Structure formats: C-alpha cells, structure tokens
Amino acid sequence: EPEVTQTPSHQVTQMGQEVILRCVPISNHLYFYWYRQILGQKVEFLVSFYNNEISEKSEIFDDQFSVERPDGSNFTLKIRSTKLEDSAMYFCASSRVIAYGYTFGSGTRLTVV
Amino acid sequence: SQELEQSPQSLIVQEGKNLTINCTSSKTLYGLYWYKQKYGEGLIFLMMLQKGGEEKSHEKITAKLDEKKQQSSLHITASQPSHAGIYLCGADPKGGNTGKLIFGQGTTLQVKP
C-alpha cells in the first residue's frame, strides 16, 4: 500500500536554529498538508498546498514557517528560528482528491532545547 | 469555530467485548473522518462518512454519521488487543473541500486480553 514517508523520525535542535522537515507524499497525490500535535494536545492543521502554492494556512503558520515542493516528489516544512513551543510531532499528509480522504505519514518528532 | 468532542476520553475493555466511541460536533457536520493513532505514531485512516445516515464497516469496525445530531459513532465488535490505540475523529469545518481538518482530542482504547 502506498505510504507517505517522513524524515527524520526524530530531530533535536537548539532554540533559534532552522529546521527542515521532509516528506515524500504518495506519487499521484495532488494535495499536501502539514499538521502538528503538541504532546497531550489535539492534532492541529498548519497548512495545505496545491498546485505549487499555499491554499490555506492556520494562525499557527506564521512567518517563521514555510513550505516548498522543491523537486516534484519532496514536500518540506521549514521553521526558520525554532522556539521551545515548536516542540511537537509534525505530520505530513497527502490526498489525490480531497473527498477521498487523507493519508498521513508517521511523523517527525521535533524537540527544541 | 467548530469543535469536536469525543467521548469517552479513555476506555478499557475486556477482549471480546463491544464498545462505542462518540464524536460530537459543535456545528453542522459535512463529513467525518475516523483515524487510529498508536501512541507517538502517525494517523491511520479508518473511514470517511459524507452523508447523513451513512454507515460504513471495515472488518469489525462500524462508523455512522448522524448529521441531525451533529454526531458520529464508531463501534467495535468483539474487540481484540490489536484494536488498542487512540481513535481520532476529524472534520472539515468548511464543508469538506479545503483539506483543513479539525480533530477531536482522541479516545484512548485499551483491550485487556
């Protein structure tokens, strides 16, 4: 069964450093998403991406965050200057047609120290 | 803004017993997704319900959508240890076509052998 692949599975970074979280969506999917889950809290939507541009973003997705699809297969989330409160599990998801549901990756656990 | 409330928050059942998890929305539900998450891992898609009264089954898991009650239920028949995990309901607040899902807080299920 096709999978959404995320790397790395764990990342520890110092506060103020830039991090890039990587995702390889399912190959024939057209819509891409990032979500996050702070420990013990709900899964929260960050951003959706379609046709090489952001289609929707949440209040969380401020100027510190950016997304990119650099080469037609990878989908990345960059956090420019990490804060302690950015520590969370970050999930990438993709879908071919929105109405058919979303496939999530296994997540990247980001710890900011 | 729309909120999803799940009940119960946690559940411990004996193997072989049936159980039901509910997801209630504060606003009209246009569609409802059920996911399963193992602690610290990704979300596994279970089912998507789009129409009021719709009922879907996969193996021993059945989900129903009651639009009038703004509620969905997930029923597991003859539970097994493999059913253990965190069950999440998700919905699109804008009617199902944005990809921006909101999630409930999750129901943690333990199945005692």
Side-chain angles (χ1 to χ4, degrees):
Chain A
E1 178 138 358
E3 288 184 342
V4 173
T5 305
Q6 289 188 243
T7 54
S9 55
H10 293 90
Q11 172 119 26
V12 180
T13 189
Q14 292 225 324
M15 192 168 54
Q17 294 296 303
E18 174 183 286
V19 293
I20 297 176
L21 309 183
R22 301 180 193 280
C23 170
V24 179
I26 293 173
S27 61
N28 63 350
H29 283 191
L30 304 173
Y31 300 84
F32 313 109
Y33 314 90
W34 284 100
Y35 285 77
R36 80 173 184 188
Q37 186 177 31
I38 294 171
L39 189 63
Q41 298 188 21
K42 294 183 179 183
V43 176
E44 303 173 287
F45 169 81
L46 292 178
V47 65
S48 58
F49 191 87
Y50 171 70
N51 202 26
N52 284 320
E53 59 183 30
I54 291 173
S55 43
E56 183 109 16
K57 59 183 181 179
S58 72
E59 316 79 57
I60 304 166
F61 194 87
D62 61 22
D63 292 344
Q64 292 297 312
F65 291 89
S66 62
V67 289
E68 203 175 36
R69 188 154 160 80
D71 56 14
S73 61
N74 289 285
F75 179 50
T76 62
L77 173 70
K78 183 193 289 186
I79 309 175
R80 282 192 191 81
S81 178
T82 50
K83 304 170 193 165
L84 294 175
E85 55 265 36
D86 293 328
S87 295
M89 183 76 103
Y90 287 81
F91 295 109
C92 173
S94 69
S95 64
R96 175 158 175 75
V97 176
I98 289 176
Y100 293 170
Y102 312 85
T103 303
F104 281 76
S106 297
T108 293
R109 182 173 298 284
L110 177 66
T111 303
V112 182
V113 296
Chain B
S1 60
Q2 188 172 14
E3 298 265 340
L4 296 179
E5 185 74 26
Q6 289 183 234
S7 61
Q9 288 197 359
S10 63
L11 199 49
I12 303 173
V13 299
Q14 202 69 38
E15 183 176 357
K17 295 294 185 187
N18 303 337
L19 63 108
T20 300
I21 298 168
N22 292 304
C23 175
T24 303
S25 173
S26 59
K27 295 188 178 182
T28 302
L29 276 170
Y30 296 101
L32 198 288
Y33 300 81
W34 283 101
Y35 286 87
K36 180 184 174 185
Q37 182 182 28
K38 292 206 168 173
Y39 184 77
E41 297 183 12
L43 281 66
I44 300 166
F45 175 74
L46 295 175
M47 270 169 275
M48 178 178 65
L49 305 164
Q50 290 184 291
K51 302 173 195 173
E54 186 173 12
E55 181 174 322
K56 285 188 177 176
S57 292
H58 177 67
E59 298 178 344
K60 294 185 178 179
I61 301 176
T62 300
K64 298 180 189 178
L65 178 61
D66 185 335
E67 273 184 350
K68 288 182 183 175
K69 291 185 180 177
Q70 297 177 180
Q71 189 176 64
S72 177
S73 60
L74 185 86
H75 184 77
I76 299 176
T77 304
S79 57
Q80 300 167 355
S82 60
H83 287 128
I86 302 168
Y87 289 82
L88 298 171
C89 62
D92 190 323
K94 293 190 180 180
N97 292 314
T98 67
K100 177 183 175 180
L101 294 185
I102 58 165
F103 285 91
Q105 80 277 23
T107 294
T108 302
L109 171 64
Q110 290 180 266
V111 180
K112 288 188 171 181

